Amino acid sequence: MNKNIVILGTQWGDEGKGKIVDCLSSDSSYVVRYQGGHNAGHTLVVDGKKIILHLIPSGLLHDNIIGIISNGVVVSPSELIKEIKMLETHNISVNKRLFISNSSPLILQYHIEMDIAREKKLGISALGTTGRGIGPAYEDKIARRALRIGDLKDEKTLSMRLEKIVSYYNHQLVSFYKHKPVDYKIILRDLLPTIDIIYDMIKDTTSILQKAIKDKKKIVFEGAQGSFLDIDHGTYPYVTSSNSTIGGVITGTGVGPKNLDYILGVTKAYSTRVGYGPFPTELFDNIDKHFSNKGHEFGSTTGRKRRTGWLDTVSLCRSVYINSLSGLCLTKLDVLDGLNEIKVCIAYKNIHTAEIISYPDINEWENIIPIYETYPGWTRKTLGIKKIKDLPYEARNYINRIEEITQIPIDIISTGPDRSDIILVRDIFY
Ligand code: GDP
Ligand code: IMO
Ligand code: MG
């Protein structure tokens, strides 16, 4: 029986993970964010109402679900509280059903200033980060100097450690980056009132999950970012600073691999990327305009225009492999409506040797061009279709071809932004 499922991105983020988590979590007990931070932007549309979540697990829109922000997530207390308050304006209360790991590293103002200062200094080599302090916060964790959520419980020690770490950051910010310094007293002043609000949410989330698994509760693990933004497996250095591939679930929660019953990879029916870095199938023509306008491809966190391109099954197959995917969810199929023809990248070609490559070296993107197969498009609308048999023949053909190439089933198809625009090809919680 599939009880515990992981939902993660197979591309460069923004695949529509939030919507799918929301759809699949209605009959689960726990939804867990396990990596990343508020660099994520997960959009949910319920009855035409749009909510964007950055830190709070997407399943919390359903009553009675318990949300967990586990140890792998870097947490900005002020952003968390902002989001709790935003949900309250939609009459959604997280009271007594949101828990945060005491081991989650904190994101504080100096991380954000450092992120911004670094990007500025990099100039044309900048990564295009979200400017949310994600990289510096994970650096602190690895360097074993991070302040963590659990440290909020002891005000005196917190104040002492904060003063030290701020002097460490100010030295770099001012001397090296010629950036403005931060004031630890102001950081502390702003932080103290947030502690009262989140104090009771601070827990050992690993033991909560251990008990949930023992009690046979259903758990959905919600990935942030996408596989090619992974710190180890992505297009380094144009990546984020966490493991957005499957390993992040295990280290980021303390749940072992045997308890992950089904791993769902979410992929758009085409590709997008926000921020800089390699993107083999990127387009700069009218098709880009079509994806951009019809797919509203503007970042949910920063509002930046997303780069767009055709579906790249070479990288998708790599994603299937590195994540041990059980099945795929194909999102935004409706965005392809009205195109005369649809292309799928099925291999790369080395531009110097003309060699055809199916298993590319991820570090050698600059030497390759994509090779495409072309399929007829469809004129009928797929927007809002709920049964696979109602899809146009050409759309089903496209889906079958992706299954054939990736060798795994497409178990879910998303046909619009709303929670109800979904085709459940197979019940994955069987
Ligand atoms: P996430 O970060 O993976 O959760 O994805 P985002 O929320 O950043 O971006 C996905 C965007 O596509 C959001 O605006 C969603 O509302 C929207 N979306 C999700 N699924 C579909 C779909 O099947 N069709 C269309 N047209 N939009 C979708
Ligand atoms: P969701 O969960 C798309 C990108 C940034 C940048 C790079 C590093 O919504 O899919 P960072 O701020 O993490 O240090 O930036 O990663 N990035 C995302 N792109 N979706 C996301 O999250 C992203 N989170 C980070 O644009 O290129
Ligand atoms: Mg997003």
Side-chain angles (χ1 to χ4, degrees):
M1 159 138 179
N2 287 336
K3 285 192 317 294
N4 305 328
I5 63 173
V6 180
I7 299 175
L8 55 77
T10 59
Q11 299 168 308
W12 286 276
D14 302 327
E15 296 90 348
K17 300 173 293 294
K19 173 197 158 156
I20 302 304
V21 170
D22 174 56
C23 289
L24 295 186
S25 56
S26 59
D27 61 350
S28 69
S29 302
Y30 292 82
V31 180
V32 186
R33 267 287 306 272
Y34 54 87
Q35 46 72 233
H38 66 295
N39 49 348
H42 296 178
T43 314
L44 318 172
V45 183
V46 183
D47 300 329
K49 211 166 66 178
K50 183 167 160 179
I51 295 181
I52 301 177
L53 293 174
H54 301 283
L55 205 46
I56 291 181
S58 299
L60 282 202
L61 260 61
H62 301 279
D63 297 338
N64 303 322
I65 286 187
I66 295 175
I68 303 235
I69 297 175
S70 63
N71 58 283
V73 179
V74 281
V75 178
S76 156
S78 59
E79 286 299 322
L80 179 65
I81 287 164
K82 219 194 268 175
E83 210 160 294
I84 293 173
K85 291 194 170 143
M86 182 274 291
L87 283 178
E88 281 167 359
T89 67
H90 291 277
N91 294 322
I92 298 163
S93 166
V94 302
N95 193 22
K96 298 200 168 59
R97 59 189 192 105
L98 178 64
F99 299 107
I100 311 160
S101 168
N102 43 22
S103 316
S104 291
L106 291 173
I107 298 188
L108 294 169
Q109 193 202 345
Y110 45 87
H111 296 118
I112 293 166
E113 299 299 341
M114 184 58 91
D115 194 356
I116 294 167
R118 286 223 184 101
E119 283 284 277
K120 201 168 150 208
K121 194 167 176 86
L122 280 169
I124 55 160
S125 312
L127 308 178
T129 72
T130 59
R132 300 295 193 268
I134 305 296
Y138 277 113
E139 282 171 40
D140 274 2
K141 165 177 161 168
I142 300 299
R144 297 169 291 189
R145 62 171 171 254
L147 284 168
R148 308 197 298 176
I149 287 279
D151 295 324
L152 297 176
K153 289 190 157 182
D154 176 354
E155 197 180 311
K156 209 167 144 214
T157 322
L158 174 71
S159 164
M160 269 163 34
R161 290 194 48 207
L162 190 62
E163 188 174 6
K164 266 198 199 155
I165 201 163
V166 163
S167 90
Y168 166 82
Y169 269 92
N170 275 344
H171 179 65
Q172 296 176 63
L173 281 171
V174 176
S175 315
F176 188 71
Y177 291 102
K178 315 287 176 228
H179 194 83
K180 60 178 192 269
V182 295
D183 182 340
Y184 101 90
K185 289 205 185 92
I186 294 177
I187 297 178
L188 190 64
R189 184 199 69 193
D190 294 344
L191 191 55
L192 291 179
T194 67
I195 300 177
D196 289 341
I197 303 175
I198 61 175
Y199 198 94
D200 290 339
M201 300 177 190
I202 304 174
K203 301 277 179 205
D204 172 6
T205 52
T206 301
S207 63
I208 296 180
L209 290 169
Q210 190 180 2
K211 179 163 187 315
I213 286 169
K214 186 162 172 280
D215 293 345
K216 304 201 173 345
K217 301 284 188 199
K218 285 182 181 175
I219 307 171
V220 173
F221 295 91
E222 173 177 1
Q225 290 80 54
S227 297
F228 296 107
L229 289 174
D230 181 284
I231 184 73
D232 287 286
H233 298 287
T235 51
Y236 194 91
Y238 299 97
V239 292
T240 191
S241 297
S242 66
N243 284 115
S244 44
T245 53
I246 191 66
V249 184
I250 295 155
T251 54
T253 61
V255 172
K258 282 188 198 161
N259 287 310
L260 307 179
D261 301 307
Y262 180 102
I263 304 160
L264 180 71
V266 185
T267 180
K268 274 181 193 171
Y270 50 99
S271 306
T272 64
R273 170 163 206 165
V274 60
Y276 307 118
F279 185 5
T281 63
E282 184 167 15
L283 295 166
F284 300 94
D285 55 8
N286 282 336
I287 304 291
D288 169 48
K289 289 202 184 80
H290 174 99
F291 289 150
S292 233
N293 297 335
K294 204 168 170 119
H296 304 287
E297 295 298 355
F298 297 89
S300 334
T301 298
T302 55
R304 289 176 290 177
K305 182 194 176 299
R306 294 174 182 150
R307 299 152 68 193
T308 76
W310 295 113
L311 182 68
D312 175 355
T313 63
V314 179
S315 59
L316 185 58
C317 286
R318 189 167 172 125
S319 224
V320 170
Y321 173 71
I322 55 184
N323 293 302
S324 281
L325 296 185
S326 317
L328 286 171
C329 166
L330 188 72
T331 60
K332 304 192 91 156
L333 184 69
D334 54 294
V335 176
L336 301 184
D337 293 358
L339 290 175
N340 288 335
E341 53 179 34
I342 294 166
K343 293 190 180 185
V344 182
C345 165
I346 46 135
Y348 298 150
K349 184 169 154 182
N350 184 305
I351 49 173
H352 305 296
T353 63
E355 183 196 357
I356 304 293
I357 309 158
S358 303
Y359 300 98
D361 176 340
I362 195 163
N363 301 307
E364 295 203 4
W365 298 93
E366 63 274 21
N367 298 324
I368 55 103
I369 51 164
I371 295 182
Y372 293 107
E373 271 178 5
T374 305
Y375 295 95
W378 52 88
T379 46
R380 237 180 343 120
K381 267 192 181 174
T382 64
L383 182 70
I385 285 184
K386 294 174 181 57
K387 292 198 179 106
I388 196 147
K389 70 171 177 48
D390 296 336
L391 288 176
Y393 166 79
E394 294 83 359
R396 276 181 285 149
N397 209 24
Y398 182 64
I399 292 163
N400 290 342
R401 182 67 184 126
I402 300 167
E403 286 183 320
E404 208 172 76
I405 297 172
T406 57
Q407 296 279 293
I408 58 165
I410 294 181
D411 285 333
I412 299 173
I413 300 160
S414 175
T415 55
D418 201 274
R419 184 191 264 174
S420 60
D421 301 329
I422 196 156
I423 303 175
L424 298 171
V425 183
R426 189 159 72 99
D427 180 12
I428 62 174
F429 267 133
Y430 59 82

